Amino acid sequence: MTEVRAAVASILQIEDLSVSFDTAAGQVKAADDVSFVLHRGEALALVGETGCGKSVVASSIMQLLPRNAIIQGRAVYAGGDLLRLDELEMSRIRGSEIAIVFQNPSLALNPIIRVGEQIAEMLRIRKGAAVQALQQARAMLSGLGLRGDDKMRMYPFQFSGGMNQRVMIAASMILSPRIIIADEPSKGLDGALAGEVMAEMARIKNQSGASLLLITHDLNLARNISDRIAVMYCGEIVEIGRSEDIFNKPLHPYTSALLDCLPERGFQPIPGSSPSMINPPSGCKFLPRCPKGFERCRKKPGMVTVEGMSATFSGSESMSREVRCWLY
Ligand SMILES: Nc1ncnc2c1ncn2[C@@H]1O[C@H](COP(=O)(O)OP(=O)(O)OP(=O)(O)O)[C@@H](O)[C@H]1O
Ligand SMILES: [Mg+2]
């Protein structure tokens, strides 16, 4: 029974995803055996230091990686594997079923089309909704703090980076996708505005019942917006669980160290630096920086489910608390 309900409640399953890049310096292993489930209606945050592989995971799902990427594993959506769809099938899914909001809006917007038109055009192409397209675009932008017809008539170059970021969010959400992947969506927005825009994004998401994969290195944003948090370190997910549990009872020493970096928790930087992705340590990748390392950590730990710390989501039993550490 649990298994059936869990299957119904999940919308995207990432299974053993590994991505490496062939470079002049050697093979960079940017994602290493990444597995997680995104539930229907859930917001899941993927957090971790710069370069740990968050964007690589997002781009793999959307088939947006460069040609030198070697990809293994599966991304199961609607019964099929996204990693194996051809370009035509993938382009049908991109935008209308799974949307991505990028870190850098200037790359995604057309500089010579008015922003209102750009958003409305998405609706016209995909849904044929010509009459209400501009009205809907206006409502969407207005909810994100860009109110009025004059804003609709602006060109991207007349907007600040933060304003364009909101145009991007509107453009990606207007088609009511079932999954929204947001890669650092609040980058370029200052503190108060970032909070407002993210809250509006969460509101639109909840209204449409979409699921959100939020990529960020802002732990507080992750906690405020998402139901669960997955912590990545050097290409691997090292811990996953309910946001509150991750904050109140981090299990992995890396998660604890990340939380200790927060200003409100003393601003203690993690000693050392992330290992190279070309020749990472063969055992636990965090061992060189870990205050709790012991002999066993020279062997690679697997992901283990921690009993008594699992949670339910929409009737699903599959929100288990998992950690990749020999201490458990
Ligand atoms: N096209 C590529 N060729 C070679 N290496 C790459 C390529 N794209 C990404 N990488 C490497 O993969 C690793 C993961 O990169 P990724 O962009 O996913 O990190 P991230 O977690 O999103 O970081 P940030 O928080 O800074 O956005 C990095 O070491 C990066 O240098
Ligand atoms: Mg990134």
Side-chain angles (χ1 to χ4, degrees):
M1 184 61 191
T2 303
E3 246 177 54
V4 174
R5 275 201 271 143
V8 168
S10 90
I11 187 153
L12 177 69
Q13 280 158 265
I14 306 301
E15 296 172 1
D16 308 321
L17 175 69
S18 292
V19 179
S20 18
F21 297 100
D22 269 331
T23 70
Q27 211 178 59
V28 176
K29 194 147 202 193
D32 188 359
D33 240 342
V34 169
S35 297
F36 62 88
V37 169
L38 182 66
H39 295 90
R40 263 172 225 279
E42 166 187 47
L44 171 67
L46 196 54
V47 305
E49 288 165 294
T50 183
C52 71
K54 305 179 296 293
S55 296
V56 162
V57 169
S59 302
S60 318
I61 298 170
M62 300 299 275
Q63 275 197 25
L64 292 171
L65 284 172
R67 283 185 183 279
N68 65 334
I70 304 154
I71 309 165
Q72 286 170 312
R74 299 186 341 138
V76 181
Y77 170 77
D81 181 1
L82 294 175
L83 307 182
R84 277 165 193 79
L85 295 184
D86 63 33
E87 186 46 36
L88 187 69
E89 293 169 311
M90 196 64 215
S91 62
R92 243 182 248 134
I93 285 184
R94 260 186 234 126
S96 55
E97 291 191 47
I98 308 180
I100 186 159
V101 180
F102 286 109
Q103 231 158 307
N104 188 347
S106 59
L107 295 178
L109 293 172
N110 188 327
I112 55 159
I113 299 180
R114 297 179 199 274
V115 297
E117 265 307 312
Q118 287 197 50
I119 300 168
E121 191 58 16
M122 312 246 338
L123 267 179
R124 291 193 199 106
I125 294 170
R126 304 280 185 144
K127 307 250 154 125
V131 186
Q132 288 132 13
L134 274 172
Q135 257 167 288
Q136 283 190 41
R138 189 184 295 111
M140 191 67 106
L141 275 182
S142 160
L144 291 163
L146 299 174
R147 294 182 188 87
D149 284 335
D150 57 324
K151 294 284 192 310
M152 289 279 288
R153 282 195 291 267
M154 297 281 218
Y155 292 95
F157 71 85
Q158 295 173 300
F159 272 180
S160 68
M163 287 160 119
N164 280 331
Q165 187 61 328
R166 284 178 275 165
V167 173
M168 267 299 294
I169 293 174
S172 51
M173 297 184 80
I174 199 144
L175 292 170
S176 308
R178 297 169 76 198
I179 301 175
I180 302 151
I181 301 174
D183 192 348
E184 302 283 1
S186 53
K187 207 169 177 176
L189 305 177
D190 64 44
L193 185 57
E196 250 172 67
V197 167
M198 287 310 301
E200 176 63 12
M201 196 166 161
R203 195 190 62 76
I204 303 170
K205 165 207 155 295
N206 289 339
Q207 208 173 36
S208 67
S211 308
L212 173 68
L213 179 62
L214 170 68
I215 290 171
T216 180
H217 47 247
D218 182 339
L219 288 167
N220 281 314
L221 174 71
R223 179 194 208 171
N224 292 341
I225 300 291
S226 48
D227 304 287
R228 288 190 304 151
I229 295 179
V231 181
M232 254 185 115
Y233 184 73
C234 195
E236 290 179 331
I237 291 189
V238 296
E239 178 162 11
I240 185 164
R242 264 197 331 201
S243 305
E244 284 309 302
D245 296 339
I246 295 280
F247 262 76
N248 297 334
K249 197 171 186 301
L251 298 178
H252 199 286
Y254 175 63
T255 311
S256 303
L258 259 190
L259 289 168
D260 289 342
C261 295
L262 291 172
E264 62 272 26
R265 295 198 185 198
F267 221 170
Q268 298 166 49
I270 308 175
S273 55
S274 294
S276 147
M277 282 179 156
I278 293 178
N279 273 315
S282 58
C284 172
K285 291 179 184 175
F286 191 55
L287 176 60
R289 305 169 81 184
C290 185
K292 293 188 174 162
F294 59 114
E295 196 49 39
R296 212 166 169 187
C297 308
R298 294 183 199 281
K299 249 183 69 189
K300 193 179 163 88
M303 209 62 171
V304 292
T305 301
V306 180
E307 297 299 331
M309 291 203 73
S310 295
T312 59
F313 184 82
S314 296
S316 159
E317 304 280 321
S318 63
M319 288 184 63
S320 56
R321 181 74 185 272
E322 290 171 63
V323 62
R324 187 186 290 281
C325 177
W326 286 119
L327 289 171
Y328 304 95

